[in-house]
């Protein structure tokens, strides 16, 4: 596995609960609210407790225990305006967005927030949302081809004076966007994230993305993903994207308490919702040539960011900031090649 030249402190992100039902498909109590007032308080609290990013979810129709949901880009802007340093990542679907329209929205959000807007390009795993809206549902690898073209168009519009693209899915002809997003030497445009466990997703990440999210594998599986993404980036002649790992955090005073919470979550699983969700994502995974789809084969070294979900957000985000994060920073300081964490106001 490629080793970075110097140790870089971990960054932390949290899943924004802008969708009802919480982060686990279980009937266990979840003291979490999908509304704006709760999420505004949470964003400020997360910022004060060491979180660098927040990722808003994207769902368009009620299903799988997610009866209500706020749209991701507008919700992201609201959270950006309620905070000072937190970077907010809006999840979006190519096929439901045109890259030029999103580029305009993103530039505005970035200007209003002083350069803290980011985007997570979701190639699409929920067929029901596309068909319900009368939009075509592409085969798996075609969805990733469209997403790659989407990112290419988005980056071009954000960075070029007159963007052009003659693609299979998008045709951009001398498109001029002003004002452009906030820029710096380390950030020529808003950061572009993507996820996906499939071979197509890994190859796309290496070619065009700034960040790659893994959605749950063992150590060997994560290592395989890292190697594939780095190989794809090397073949494309560009730096490898940074790597984020998705996880659900249960932090308690003792391991016994934490394991008891996990046991209760599993014991109270919402079976109908779990099966519905599983069927959708496994259908998406099985449509790949090699069966390596999102969550299809899921059951750390090289990780730059942890994307975390919680059971009771307000209490547990604060607990994490006060009890867990200091231990992480203490361990990082012991690394022989450790370097100081960049100031919170710097956009990296």
């Amino acid at each position: 596995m490629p080793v970075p030249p110097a140790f870089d402190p971990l960054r932390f992100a949290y899943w924004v609960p802008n969708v009802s039902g919480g982060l686990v498909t279980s009937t266990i109590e979840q003291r979490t609210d999908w509304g704006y007032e709760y999420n505004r308080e949470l964003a400020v609290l997360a910022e004060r407790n060491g979180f660098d990013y927040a990722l808003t979810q994207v769902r368009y129709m009620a299903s799988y225990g997610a009866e209500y949901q706020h749209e991701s880009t507008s919700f992201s802007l609201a959270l950006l305006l309620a905070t000072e340093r937190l970077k907010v990542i809006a999840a979006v679907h190519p096929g439901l967005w045109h890259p030029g329209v999103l580029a305009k929205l993103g530039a505005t959000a970035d200007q209003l927030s002083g350069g803290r807007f980011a985007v997570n390009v979701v190639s699409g795993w929920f067929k029901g949302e596309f068909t319900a809206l009368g939009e075509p549902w592409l085969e798996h690898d075609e969805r990733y081809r469209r997403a790659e073209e989407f990112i290419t168009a988005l980056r071009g519009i954000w960075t070029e004076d007159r963007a052009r693209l003659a693609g299979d899915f998008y045709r951009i002809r001398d498109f001029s966007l002003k004002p452009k997003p906030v820029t710096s030497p380390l950030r020529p445009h808003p950061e572009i994230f993507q996820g996906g466990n499939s071979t197509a997703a890994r190859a796309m990440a290496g070619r065009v993305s700034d960040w790659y999210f893994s959605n749950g594998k063992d150590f060997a599986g994560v290592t395989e993903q890292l190697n594939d993404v780095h190989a794809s980036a090397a073949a494309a002649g560009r730096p490898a994207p940074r790597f984020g790992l998705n996880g659900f955090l249960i932090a308690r005073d003792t391991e016994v308490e934490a394991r008891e919470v996990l046991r209760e979550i599993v014991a109270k699983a919402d079976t109908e919702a779990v099966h519905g969700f599983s069927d959708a994502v496994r259908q998406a995974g099985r449509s790949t040539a090699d069966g390596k789809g999102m969550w299809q084969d899921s059951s750390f070294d090289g990780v730059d960011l942890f994307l975390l979900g919680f059971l009771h957000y307000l209490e547990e985000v604060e607990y994490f900031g006060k009890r867990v994060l200091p231990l992480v920073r203490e361990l990082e300081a012991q690394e022989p090649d450790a370097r100081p964490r960049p100031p919170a106001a710097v956009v990296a």
Side-chain angles (χ1 to χ4, degrees):
M1 181 189 304
V3 178
F7 179 82
D8 197 18
L10 279 170
R11 290 167 171 79
F12 291 92
Y14 73 92
W15 282 101
V16 174
N18 57 304
V19 172
S20 66
L23 264 287
V24 296
T25 48
S26 173
T27 59
I28 189 174
E29 181 191 14
Q30 298 185 66
R31 292 190 294 276
T32 295
D33 191 288
W34 62 282
Y36 175 64
E37 295 298 327
Y38 179 93
N39 273 281
R40 180 177 60 185
E41 181 181 358
L42 174 60
V44 173
L45 183 71
E47 180 176 72
R48 292 174 179 171
N49 280 275
F51 281 83
D52 304 279
Y53 296 88
L55 172 59
T56 54
Q57 303 173 61
V58 57
R59 293 290 291 274
Y60 291 96
M61 60 185 287
S63 62
Y64 308 135
E67 186 69 17
Y68 301 97
Q69 57 278 143
H70 285 299
E71 191 277 324
S72 58
T73 60
S74 53
F75 209 72
S76 293
L77 179 56
L79 296 183
L80 285 167
L81 297 180
T83 54
E84 298 178 354
R85 299 180 304 277
L86 190 70
K87 294 178 276 290
V88 184
I89 312 162
V92 297
H93 278 137
L96 301 181
W97 279 93
H98 187 284
V101 176
L102 180 66
K104 187 65 176 179
L105 182 151
T108 298
D110 207 52
Q111 287 282 339
L112 293 177
S113 65
R116 294 184 288 125
F117 178 79
V119 65
N120 182 40
V121 177
V122 182
S123 296
W125 58 268
F126 190 7
K127 180 180 179 180
E129 290 189 332
F130 280 76
T131 57
L133 291 171
E135 294 298 321
W137 178 249
L138 304 181
E139 181 271 331
H140 179 277
D141 286 5
E142 285 295 284
R143 296 200 301 274
Y144 277 93
R145 280 213 313 127
R146 177 175 62 187
E148 183 167 344
E149 219 173 84
F150 184 94
I151 291 174
T152 300
L154 189 63
R155 180 178 281 114
I157 293 169
W158 276 339
T159 60
E160 299 169 12
D161 288 337
R162 305 193 69 84
R164 301 178 184 178
L165 177 66
D168 295 331
F169 302 94
Y170 304 105
R171 291 169 177 80
I172 311 298
R173 301 182 178 91
D174 293 327
F175 188 81
S176 180
L177 176 71
K178 293 181 181 180
K180 298 220 182 278
V182 176
T183 63
S184 74
L186 294 176
R187 184 186 182 271
H189 54 75
E191 293 168 287
I192 299 171
F193 293 71
Q194 71 153 99
N197 286 350
S198 68
T199 299
R202 302 176 200 186
M204 169 182 143
R207 288 191 294 262
V208 298
S209 297
D210 301 319
W211 287 86
Y212 171 74
F213 277 132
S214 171
N215 285 277
K217 280 181 169 288
D218 58 18
F219 183 82
V222 169
T223 300
E224 176 190 325
Q225 288 179 323
L226 273 169
N227 288 338
D228 287 351
V229 171
H230 277 264
S232 174
R238 66 186 295 264
R242 293 187 173 190
F243 191 83
L245 192 62
N246 184 16
F248 186 82
L249 183 69
I250 303 172
R252 298 294 187 271
D253 290 340
T254 68
E255 183 175 346
V256 171
E257 291 176 273
R259 289 192 176 277
E260 176 57 26
V261 173
L262 177 60
R263 185 205 62 76
E264 186 180 358
I265 290 172
V266 175
K268 295 181 177 179
D270 183 340
T271 306
E272 183 179 353
V274 169
H275 282 292
F277 179 84
S278 176
D279 288 345
V281 297
R282 289 185 183 277
Q283 177 192 52
R286 283 193 298 267
S287 68
T288 67
D290 52 12
K292 293 181 179 179
M294 182 77 79
W295 292 292
Q296 168 69 10
D297 54 355
S298 297
S299 41
F300 278 98
D301 200 11
V303 173
D304 300 290
L305 177 147
F306 280 103
L307 172 60
L308 302 176
F310 300 90
L311 196 62
H312 311 304
Y313 265 84
L314 289 176
E315 301 98 308
E316 296 186 21
V317 161
E318 186 171 27
Y319 185 99
F320 175 85
K322 292 182 177 179
R323 301 290 298 277
V324 180
L325 188 56
L327 299 177
V328 174
R329 299 304 181 212
E330 183 180 328
L331 290 171
E332 288 177 334
Q334 297 172 15
E335 292 291 326
D337 53 357
R339 57 191 174 198
R341 180 172 165 74
V346 173
V347 177

